[in-house]
């Protein structure tokens, strides 16, 4: 499928706009000299709105339009205590007059910091359920979503638009199909060698990775893709992402069969002790980018994935002739919840 055809299909879905596109693709020249490896680029999706931005802006463009068109008055979602998706959903609800309900499977912290502070400022109803918190890979993503949907219906009542963790639906992931098209065209315009270029991204629920994968595949783009799991969160994760990829294709009117092994994901290796648990490589990666380029990463997603990318460069997984585009997916409010970053 060519770019115009994909663009046409994406335009069939109503959406709101939370960003100025294309987001910048910025060279990291100073860091490059330091790491002696491939040419490094940063794709600045951290600048997308609303409310201090991040990758969820692209997913919410489709999801909020859907909630609005179906006449919902409440939006329900869930995530970890420092969920950027929850914060951005709350922000997206405000100007539409919708009531956000955010579920967290943890006790209410004594002080609300980072994203939780913003959730409260944005007028969200916060539901703290003090059990089942640390998702440790016992359930699949789909099982988790079904359980929370049932619980939320029980607690909030009917009439809420339910969004799975991370906006992880085929419709939401169209945001990253569109991003694949954007990146393909942007890299081409900027003269990057597409067949020697890899996009690297953090994978939490994997929707960003899967949307990009579907977009690049439909375009037959030579751009490569690599997701780094930051949480060890789900059982049979690649299989869930393969199912999602098939559903996204279907939504776009294409039939493609995906298997778990088609998903370009490094699982577990760079997740450290677990989701939202800070480790030394992450701390060092955040400091390195901050001090070389004046750019901040977050401790839960981008810091971990960036640390993984730096390790892969060191292991010669990529050659110096290659180009890497690290997708900065945002998450900066999470920094305030990790004072231990600076010791
Ligand atoms: C800042 C940030 N980066 C990356 C991700 C991962 O995105 P996805 O859930 O689509 O894998 C998330 C959310 O999960 C996030 O909040």
């Amino acid at each position: 499928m060519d770019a115009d055809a994909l663009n046409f299909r994406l335009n069939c879905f109503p959406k709101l706009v939370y960003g100025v596109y294309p987001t910048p693709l910025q060279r990291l020249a100073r860091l490059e000299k330091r790491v002696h490896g491939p040419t490094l680029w940063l794709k600045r999706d951290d600048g997308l709105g609303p409310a201090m931005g991040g990758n969820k802006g692209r997913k919410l463009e489709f999801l909020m339009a859907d909630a609005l068109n179906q006449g919902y008055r409440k939006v329900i979602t869930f995530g970890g205590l420092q969920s950027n998706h929850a914060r951005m959903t709350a922000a997206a609800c405000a100007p539409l007059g919708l009531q956000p309900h955010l579920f967290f499977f943890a006790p209410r912290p004594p002080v609300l910091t980072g994203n939780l502070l913003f959730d409260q400022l944005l007028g969200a109803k916060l539901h703290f359920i003090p059990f089942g918190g640390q998702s440790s890979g016992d359930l699949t993503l789909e099982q988790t979503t079904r359980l929370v949907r049932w619980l939320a219906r029980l607690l909030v009542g009917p009439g809420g638009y339910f969004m799975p963790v991370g906006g992880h639906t085929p419709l939401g992931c169209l945001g990253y199909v569109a991003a694949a098209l954007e990146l393909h065209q942007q890299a081409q315009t900027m003269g990057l060698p597409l067949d020697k270029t890899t996009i690297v991204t953090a994978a939490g629920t994997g929707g960003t990775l899967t949307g990009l994968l579907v977009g690049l595949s439909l375009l037959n783009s030579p751009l490569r893709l690599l997701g780094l799991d930051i949480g060890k969160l789900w059982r049979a994760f690649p299989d869930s992402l393969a199912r999602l990829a098939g559903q996204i294709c279907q939504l776009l009117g294409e039939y493609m069969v995906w298997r778990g092994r088609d998903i370009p994901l490094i699982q577990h290796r760079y997740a450290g002790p677990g989701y939202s648990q800070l480790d030394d490589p992450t701390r060092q990666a955040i400091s390195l980018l901050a001090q070389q380029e004046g750019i901040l990463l977050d401790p839960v997603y981008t810091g971990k994935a960036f640390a993984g990318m730096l390790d892969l460069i060191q292991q010669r997984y990529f050659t110096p002739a290659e180009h890497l585009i690290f997708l900065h997916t945002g998450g900066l409010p999470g920094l305030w919840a990790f004072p231990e970053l600076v010791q």
Side-chain angles (χ1 to χ4, degrees):
M1 179 183 307
D2 67 15
D4 287 343
L6 182 55
N7 206 20
F8 176 80
R9 294 204 197 180
L10 286 166
N11 284 337
C12 295
F13 296 86
K15 68 173 191 169
L16 305 175
V17 178
Y18 293 135
V20 179
Y21 301 109
T23 57
L25 184 57
Q26 170 182 353
R27 181 100 180 250
L28 300 176
R30 203 153 175 265
L31 182 67
E32 247 168 59
K33 289 200 189 102
R34 186 68 191 257
V35 300
H36 306 294
T39 305
L40 297 177
W41 301 88
L42 197 64
K43 174 71 171 165
R44 302 300 304 263
D45 275 13
D46 53 322
L48 293 173
M52 293 193 71
N55 60 336
K56 297 306 174 315
R58 291 195 193 254
K59 294 184 185 179
L60 285 167
E61 291 189 340
F62 290 93
L63 293 169
M64 294 308 294
D66 191 40
L68 211 56
N69 286 342
Q70 292 194 52
Y72 284 100
R73 305 303 310 152
K74 303 179 231 177
V75 175
I76 300 164
T77 196
F78 67 102
L81 286 175
Q82 285 304 320
S83 168
N84 299 294
H85 164 68
R87 179 242 319 159
M88 292 184 70
T89 302
C93 282
L96 303 176
L98 306 182
Q99 176 65 62
H101 287 263
L102 309 179
F103 283 80
F104 304 100
F105 292 86
R108 184 188 174 94
V111 183
L112 300 185
T113 55
N115 280 294
L116 279 173
L117 175 69
F118 296 148
D119 295 341
Q120 204 173 39
L121 270 177
L122 291 161
K125 286 218 159 70
L126 309 184
H127 304 264
F128 293 95
I129 314 288
F131 54 82
Q134 270 311 320
S135 179
S136 51
D138 298 336
L139 298 179
T140 65
L141 191 45
E142 290 99 326
Q143 285 167 334
T144 307
T145 299
R146 278 196 293 274
L147 267 176
V148 181
R149 184 194 292 268
W150 172 81
L151 187 72
R153 211 163 265 161
L154 202 70
L155 294 175
V156 177
Y161 183 84
F162 181 79
M163 270 183 215
V165 59
H168 188 86
T169 70
L171 183 69
C173 292
L174 292 185
Y176 271 92
V177 176
L181 173 58
E182 179 182 311
L183 258 170
H184 174 84
Q185 292 179 322
Q186 194 175 29
Q188 227 166 14
T189 308
M190 290 173 67
L192 272 70
L194 299 200
D195 57 342
K196 292 194 186 70
T197 301
T198 304
I199 303 166
V200 180
T201 183
T205 68
T208 300
L209 175 69
T210 310
L212 286 171
L213 178 64
V214 168
L216 295 176
S217 303
L218 291 177
L219 287 170
N220 221 357
S221 171
L223 279 173
R224 288 175 256 169
L225 179 65
L226 181 64
L228 302 178
D229 161 36
I230 52 72
K232 308 179 197 165
L233 288 164
W234 321 107
R235 187 159 65 78
F237 190 26
D239 294 339
S240 293
L241 298 185
R243 280 191 288 278
L244 177 68
Q247 290 159 358
I248 300 170
C249 288
Q250 220 174 359
L251 198 58
L252 289 165
E254 289 292 309
Y255 180 75
M256 278 172 96
V257 178
W258 297 87
R259 289 145 306 176
R261 63 171 182 272
D262 300 327
I263 307 298
L265 174 70
I266 297 184
Q267 269 193 287
H268 301 175
R269 187 155 134 206
Y270 296 113
Y275 177 75
S276 194
Q277 293 182 42
L278 192 59
D279 57 2
D280 275 339
T282 304
R283 197 180 281 129
Q284 286 157 15
I286 293 173
S287 298
L288 183 67
L289 189 67
Q291 290 167 22
Q292 293 297 312
E293 301 282 354
I295 296 169
L296 296 170
L297 296 168
D298 85 290
V300 180
Y301 297 96
T302 52
K304 262 193 189 162
F306 205 84
M309 184 180 77
L310 292 175
D311 183 68
L312 290 170
I313 292 171
Q314 217 170 31
Q315 307 290 330
R316 304 264 173 245
Y317 184 91
F318 304 105
T319 67
E322 290 180 65
H323 290 239
L324 299 183
I325 299 175
F326 184 83
L327 179 61
H328 194 330
T329 44
L332 297 187
L335 280 168
W336 278 274
F338 286 82
E340 66 271 30
L341 262 170
V342 184
Q343 286 178 331

